[in-house]
Amino acid sequence: GQAQLVGEEWREAWRQHRSHIVGNPARYRRDERHMEALRMDYARDDERVEASGAVLFSEGARMLGAQTMVYDSRRDVLRAGGGVSVRDNAWEGVLSGDSLFFDLSAERGWLSGTPQLRSREENDLRWEADSMYFDMAARALVGDGQSALSSGHVRIHSQRSHYAAEAQRFAFGVGVVLERRTDGAVDGYRIEADSMVVLFEDGVAQRAEMDGALSGRVAMDGERTSWLSGSGGAFVLRDDRLQQVELSSAADVTYHHAGRDEVSRFRGDSMVLHFDEEGLYRVHVEGGAHLQSRLVRAEGEATVNSVEGSEMDIHFVDGSLASVQVGPGIEGLYEIGRAHV
């Protein structure tokens, strides 16, 4: 329960029961807690240390750095300001901000001043918000206010965010936007949703799940664009690129091939869209499947088609609708152009 102080210069204010220490660095120690700084002011009666200049506080694997720091041993709280950084085994990466309050006994606290979590994983994951609250025991962080996450080329924006480190899971709410950006421009996809949960592996986004309404656009090679909407669903990613879209209900997708002036619209109770590097190559519709399309024959003549069924499997070749397989209960008109039933 005793404190140890070490410094190169020492000035004692006996009446105030304070010690002023200067060192390169000056050091303070109580049990497993250590503090280093260029200057320290120790209030003995209050058991409080006020440190400034390259301050470092450590306890086991936990390390906090800042320009100024106040450690209140009696209340077991820590306050820090100026270039605050926190390293802890609770999460992979460094948490930083302008100011910090930390309840050491509860292992909870908050950061303000554009706090940011930067992962040490391979995809340089960065997450920031207006303010952040952390719970080291639960291995959780909560972002309040405008928040933004980047991982490789993936960008996510929202008004609320939550990070569960053990599950490598981010939850976003209120005005969520998921997109792929390169050189500042949208490249590949942009999705808007009421809420979203994104699962990561080693700092790389793998899957985004949505419960409420969603809408968006998927664009490939400048000519092939899909507009989609639905209620509930998921986006499967690999190396930041979209592999699969799952729409759980009220699925509605319009696909446009600008180079061939072809348009197709698919609707159904649920839908799965498959993508490769060239774009959309397969659509599977379950329940109340409905396809409307405008295709162009080899000789340049356009055909308009409509078909319905309880289930539908649609395939594309070189970006153009190539075949449609329809389940029981087929109705409608479908002319043979580039496609066949």
Side-chain angles (χ1 to χ4, degrees):
Q2 294 182 339
Q4 183 185 65
L5 293 145
V6 178
E8 296 176 356
E9 298 180 16
W10 194 296
R11 182 165 56 88
E12 198 68 26
W14 292 107
R15 292 182 179 179
Q16 292 79 27
H17 296 184
R18 298 178 75 92
S19 302
H20 306 278
I21 309 163
V22 176
N24 192 21
R27 294 182 173 89
Y28 166 89
R29 176 176 179 175
R30 181 184 289 275
D31 299 323
E32 297 302 316
R33 292 174 180 169
H34 304 254
M35 184 181 288
E36 296 181 356
L38 297 179
R39 294 168 297 277
M40 287 186 179
D41 192 332
Y42 177 56
R44 292 192 296 277
D45 292 346
D46 297 330
E47 296 182 21
R48 187 179 70 250
V49 181
E50 301 172 5
S52 62
V55 188
L56 180 64
F57 177 92
S58 63
E59 181 181 14
R62 182 177 302 160
M63 299 181 68
L64 294 88
Q67 285 302 307
T68 62
M69 195 176 294
V70 177
Y71 170 48
D72 189 329
S73 177
R74 285 187 176 179
R75 295 180 177 83
D76 211 22
V77 297
L78 192 70
R79 293 179 174 84
V84 179
S85 64
V86 183
R87 292 179 181 267
D88 192 89
N89 290 336
W91 48 74
E92 288 292 333
V94 178
L95 187 62
S96 60
D98 290 335
S99 61
L100 168 141
F101 172 83
F102 189 7
D103 185 330
L104 293 163
S105 57
E107 294 192 287
R108 298 191 187 102
W110 54 260
L111 287 106
S112 61
T114 317
Q116 179 186 98
L117 175 66
R118 183 168 181 176
S119 173
R120 290 173 286 184
E121 305 288 0
E122 63 183 71
N123 221 27
D124 191 25
L125 185 150
R126 300 187 187 191
W127 171 47
E128 63 181 34
D130 291 341
S131 60
M132 281 189 187
Y133 302 84
F134 58 86
D135 186 334
M136 291 182 174
R139 300 186 63 191
L141 289 158
V142 176
D144 196 16
Q146 185 66 40
S147 90
L149 181 146
S150 64
S151 171
H153 295 305
V154 173
R155 303 288 185 271
I156 305 171
H157 303 272
S158 71
Q159 292 295 322
R160 291 183 177 272
S161 48
H162 177 276
Y163 174 49
E166 187 170 0
Q168 298 189 60
R169 172 185 178 272
F170 278 91
F172 300 92
V174 187
V176 186
V177 175
L178 167 70
E179 60 188 9
R180 186 178 192 272
R181 279 189 171 269
T182 56
D183 299 326
V186 176
D187 174 23
Y189 50 84
R190 176 185 170 90
I191 308 302
E192 299 181 12
D194 296 332
S195 63
M196 186 181 298
V197 173
V198 184
L199 304 177
F200 286 78
E201 186 175 325
D202 297 329
V204 181
Q206 303 290 323
R207 182 179 175 89
E209 299 175 348
M210 291 140 282
D211 289 331
L214 63 97
S215 62
R217 177 177 66 90
V218 180
M220 299 290 185
D221 70 17
E223 290 191 340
R224 309 173 193 182
T225 304
S226 301
W227 291 270
L228 53 91
S229 65
S231 180
F235 283 68
V236 180
L237 307 172
R238 176 176 291 178
D239 298 329
D240 297 349
R241 293 190 175 276
L242 187 60
Q243 274 202 317
Q244 185 171 297
V245 176
E246 303 166 8
L247 299 174
S248 302
S249 62
D252 192 340
V253 176
T254 298
Y255 171 74
H256 181 211
H257 193 309
R260 293 177 176 167
D261 194 24
E262 295 181 343
V263 180
S264 297
R265 185 181 182 187
F266 331 109
R267 287 176 291 167
D269 295 340
S270 63
M271 192 181 301
V272 180
L273 298 90
H274 300 268
F275 296 84
D276 57 21
E277 293 183 356
E278 296 181 355
L280 183 66
Y281 70 88
R282 182 189 173 196
V283 178
H284 184 78
V285 188
E286 291 276 358
H290 187 189
L291 167 65
Q292 291 176 302
S293 63
R294 178 189 184 277
L295 303 179
V296 179
R297 297 175 181 268
E299 58 272 18
E301 181 184 352
T303 64
V304 178
N305 308 278
S306 178
V307 64
E308 296 181 11
S310 60
E311 182 179 346
M312 197 176 293
D313 208 45
I314 307 159
H315 294 263
F316 296 80
V317 174
D318 295 330
S320 185
L321 197 152
S323 67
V324 181
Q325 295 175 325
V326 184
I330 182 171
E331 294 181 6
L333 173 66
Y334 205 91
E335 293 188 27
I336 304 300
R338 291 181 180 272
H340 66 271
V341 177

